[in-house]
Amino acid sequence: MSSALNLLIGLAMGLSLIALASSRLPSVIRAAAFQGMILGILPLLLEERFHWLVIAVATGTVTVKGFIIPNLLLRALRAANIDREMEPLLGFVPSLLLGAAAIIGAAALGNELPLRPEHAKTLLVPGAFATVVCGFILLMTRAKAISQVCGYLILENGIYLFGLLLINSTPLLVEAGILLDLTVAIFVIGIIVDRIQREFDTLDTRKQTFLRE
Amino acid sequence: MKEILLIALPLIFAAAAFAWPNERTRSWLLPVACGLHTLLTMWLLINPPALAAIAWFGFDPLARAVLPMVSLLFLVCSIYGVSYLQIRSERKNRIFVTALLVMLGLLSLALQAQNLGLLWVAAEATTLVTVPLLHFNGTARAFEASWKYLLVGGTGIALSLLGSFCLGYASLHSGGSGDLTFTALVAQGSSLTRPWLITAWVLLLAGYGTKMGLAPMHTWKPDAYGEAPGMVGALLAGGTTTMAFVAILRVKQVVDAAGDGAMTERTLLAFGLFSMLVAALFLLSTRDFKRMLAYSSVEHMGILAVGAALGGAGILAALFHVWTNGLTKGALFLSAGNIRRAAGAQTEDKVAGMAWRSPASARIFVVGILAVTACPPFGVFFSELKIILATFQTNNPFVAVVFLGCLLFAFFGLTRLVFAIVDGRPRAAARATGKQLREKPGVIIPPLLFLALSLWLGLATPSLLRDTWTAAAKFLFPTP
């Protein structure tokens, strides 16, 4: 059970690196979506008995993270007629190196932190921290609004991965609230992207320079 | 029951505002809803309800110490809102009024939340509902400000979720049942797993610190306060930041109970003094009087963090400061909004002589600045004095020196810019736009009310409030 789990978490970490290395927006969006779908399946592996609530959470996560949000982003990309190049503020190779460093650091941190016996052999903690940091790197080093949203998505994916540690103990209400908030956040971000597009005719946040000190 | 009503009432009115057909009369829902909310809060302040043992939310001593201030802030701002929306009748107000009322409901929920997860959900929802308020003006600059707010605020709120998970795991690892109410976490005390607890504190302080606007996570603040309507600035500076401060206090209570009080105090002190320093330096150079208010807010958040780091007496003073700062800031933001409208610009390069163009607002602005820079007999003077006394009580004279130095520089910065705007000859641009803008009583009385409240808190702090703050400080920091 835990080897399948670790395989999927490893895959998710690899997808964060792919997102860091891609030079085109649609492939970043697809990497984030695929990562979201993998995370959606994980609760089924963690839970021994198939409770209907777990199945509902898994289906919901896969639908939202894997289909609805990527579709919204791809639609925004088409509607706003955005150039598909990434325009990194930090080159792809340095970003990848930073991402790799993040994974090593997360693995080291994961070894330091005490874990419950049932989590001890899994990659949940290192995977979560590595994904959060990769998302953060993407968020900070890309100029376009949509790629920043992708970075935010990957960051959220990492946090969701961490949340799996608590899936048996926290009330499901908290989980549901998280999912809802995520969707709404992306919705609102999407609307703003749309507005920025109309106001600036560009999604390059470097050109938003009215406000600075 | 009444504490649920406190949350439900604004939300019901928000639904009504959304369905309300008439643009002109919709804004009257604001003072009605906020008035009822204030009445209810005052009733609860005087007759505090008994707390259910395992409630998800409740009117506990901490909520009782701050929620009445937020309610009063909303009430006075809502009175201003009626006149403001009449002046700005060219903009549709359906979303604006709805979002304001939802924000009041969510803040009431967040301030009363007794559960780590519920607190986070309310904080996240508050972040989202503020976005339409920020781009009410619909300009490119307003969109830019909302984008930055959402990106920085969203990242901050994401970090606080990660921190909440870490705290949850600290409890689970040490044999907890997954009950994330603050009472349960405090009861676990020193059995909480220490490495996870420290990770949680770092992440939660960074996350909620971003919402509160502590330096260096304050970057969204000048943009948001500079571009939002004045009343939204007042509600952000007195409402949302208070919510984040309360969140930090609640988490601090858990970490303190686990025996790491020295660490929380040291980190809060560092963040607080750094915020005050950064704010003082930016105040000396900023040329925009609405962004100036944002830096002043960063400074006062720093003061709150310093207060929270100074034990029981410091927490009491910080809660007092939440009141005085929130209400005085209200006067400043509302009068700054009036000046901005009359001048048609907001930098000192384009605005001067506002004492002639909008005399009443300019006077309120000057008095407000003196009040917020701690001139007696306004409330801020007394609350800051209490914090300085607390530094000496806890044997931190060095903190007092840095604290006073930052206050002095902030005073220079604030008065420099304010008098540049108020004095001198009105600029041509203002002369062109100034004619049609009369200062209606509807936009003058609310900031005056705020000043009166600030004065009243300073001259005659009601003993009821003082007892409430003492009870909350005892609740958070039980002295052995």
Side-chain angles (χ1 to χ4, degrees), chain B residues 227-424:
Chain B
E227 299 312 313
M231 61 180 287
V232 175
L235 297 176
L236 281 173
T240 317
T241 53
T242 302
M243 170 194 81
F245 182 57
V246 165
I248 290 177
L249 285 179
R250 288 199 192 278
V251 176
K252 179 178 181 295
Q253 187 192 12
V254 173
V255 184
D256 286 356
D260 274 313
M263 176 193 68
T264 61
E265 291 184 351
R266 229 175 298 137
T267 41
L268 273 175
L269 202 59
F271 269 110
L273 288 179
F274 184 65
S275 303
M276 291 183 71
L277 196 68
V278 167
L281 292 177
F282 274 102
L283 278 172
L284 286 172
S285 65
T286 184
R287 307 182 72 77
D288 178 322
F289 65 86
K290 282 182 87 177
R291 293 169 76 86
M292 169 192 88
L293 293 183
Y295 289 117
S296 167
S297 173
V298 173
E299 184 207 351
H300 285 270
M301 291 307 119
I303 295 175
L304 289 181
V306 170
L310 296 172
I315 290 177
L316 194 153
L319 291 171
F320 185 14
H321 195 72
V322 164
W323 280 71
T324 57
N325 173 49
L327 297 175
T328 316
K329 278 280 154 53
L332 279 172
F333 274 100
L334 297 188
S335 55
N338 294 344
I339 295 175
R340 164 79 182 74
R341 263 198 311 286
Q346 57 188 48
T347 57
E348 65 172 321
D349 310 307
K350 293 184 183 148
V351 184
M354 294 316 288
W356 282 267
R357 291 254 59 100
S358 56
S361 303
R363 287 198 176 99
I364 296 170
F365 197 52
V366 170
V367 176
I369 284 291
L370 293 178
V372 92
T373 49
C375 288
F378 287 97
V380 178
F381 170 75
F382 293 98
S383 54
E384 288 181 3
L385 188 66
K386 271 192 196 302
I387 291 178
I388 292 169
L389 289 178
T391 62
F392 287 113
Q393 275 172 25
T394 50
N395 239 339
N396 279 316
F398 172 71
V399 174
V401 172
V402 179
F403 187 92
L404 286 171
C406 291
L407 286 186
L408 186 68
F409 280 112
F411 177 75
F412 288 150
L414 285 164
T415 43
R416 165 194 67 87
L417 185 52
V418 168
F419 286 108
I421 286 160
V422 170
D423 279 341

Side-chain angles (χ1 to χ4, degrees), chain A residues 183-202:
Chain A
T183 330
V184 183
I186 301 295
F187 253 120
V188 181
I189 289 177
I191 293 165
I192 291 190
V193 167
D194 183 31
R195 293 295 182 91
I196 289 182
Q197 171 66 24
R198 262 186 269 153
E199 293 284 333
F200 292 96
D201 279 325
T202 171

